[in-house]
Structures are given as C-alpha cells and as structure tokens.
Amino acid sequence: VVDEDNGAQLSIPGGTIRIPRGQTAGADTAYIQAMDDDLDDDAVGAQVNATSDQANAPATPTDITITDNDDAPGAPSTPTFSSVGAAGFTVEWTSPAAPGTSAITHYEIRYSSDTLDDDDDWMTVSGGASARTHAITGLEAGTTYNVEVRAVSAAGDGTASPGSQATSAS
C-alpha cells in the first residue's frame, strides 16, 4: 500500500489485503500497487474480489480484497562440497522439489564460520536459473564454514536449504 504524498509502503506477508468500508488513508487518495512480483507480467493476473455487506448492492462494493497467490520456491537440496582445498571449496545443490508458481530466476548463497542468521548477507550466484554450483574462495585454512542456498523467483526469495558444513583443508 503506497501513500501518494508520503510514499509510505506496507508489505502484506499473507498476500491478501482487506480494506473495510469507511476506512480511508486520510484526506488523500491511497492506491495499491503490486511491486517486484508476477503481477508485473502481462500474462499473469491477480484475483480481485469486490463484495458488499448491504443486501442487493453488488454494484457498490464496500470491501475490496486483492489476493496475490504466488508461491516462492521451496528449499534446494542440502549443499554438498567438492574440490575442498586450503583456500576454499565448490558448493553443489539440486533445484527445489517445489519450484513455486513462478520460474526460478537465480540462486543465492551465504556462508559464515559462525552460525548463520538473518544478519548474514545473501550473494547472487552467477549463471541464473541453471546454476547448481558455486566456488567459494579466499577462506581461512582449517576453518569450518556453514553454508545455505536458496532459489529466487518473481514470487520472492525461496526457503533456505538445510544448512551444511565444510572445512577448508589445512
């Protein structure tokens, strides 16, 4: 939801927004705009329902519900490792069993010698949707790294793979 004057935005995690009768965005007009989603694609539609709580008044809706039912991709397989050396290793994975409702556009990876959490940045893997490997280099020898991979589509960031660990060679 975007306020034209203030540019305020509200994310709707469940994909559904309901605007009850009589509620406004103050004196200004408010509008709803799909951003960074399949709704931007002309071939994909959104479900829009207009309903009324007044008998015999279907032409004058009092509530409008807009639902975007896109599903983000599921988790890729647990990462495995090859070419483990003192300075790094190659991470490998397979595509999610549940790819979501939109085509996967690319994969992202994150790794850390500490426990992975929301503060760790995701990095885009080169190669787009067909990428299934990524070389991680410049690591500290003999250190164990936690690694996660996720698929990304127009519907959003997918679920992270189960975490996996690799230790760079000493």
Side-chain angles (χ1 to χ4, degrees), residues 34-121:
M35 299 174 68
D36 298 324
D37 206 333
D38 268 351
L39 296 181
D40 297 333
D41 182 349
D42 293 338
V44 178
Q47 175 185 350
V48 178
N49 297 323
T51 59
S52 173
D53 62 359
Q54 300 172 359
N56 302 318
T60 313
T62 56
D63 293 339
I64 296 176
T65 304
I66 299 174
T67 303
D68 178 6
N69 59 358
D70 290 337
D71 291 326
S77 65
T78 301
T80 58
F81 306 94
S82 63
S83 304
V84 176
F89 43 77
T90 298
V91 183
E92 300 175 14
W93 64 89
T94 59
S95 299
T101 55
S102 301
I104 293 171
T105 57
H106 65 278
Y107 289 89
E108 293 179 339
I109 192 167
R110 66 181 176 178
Y111 62 94
S112 176
S113 58
D114 294 323
T115 302
L116 288 168
D117 57 35
D118 290 338
D119 293 333
D120 292 308
D121 292 330

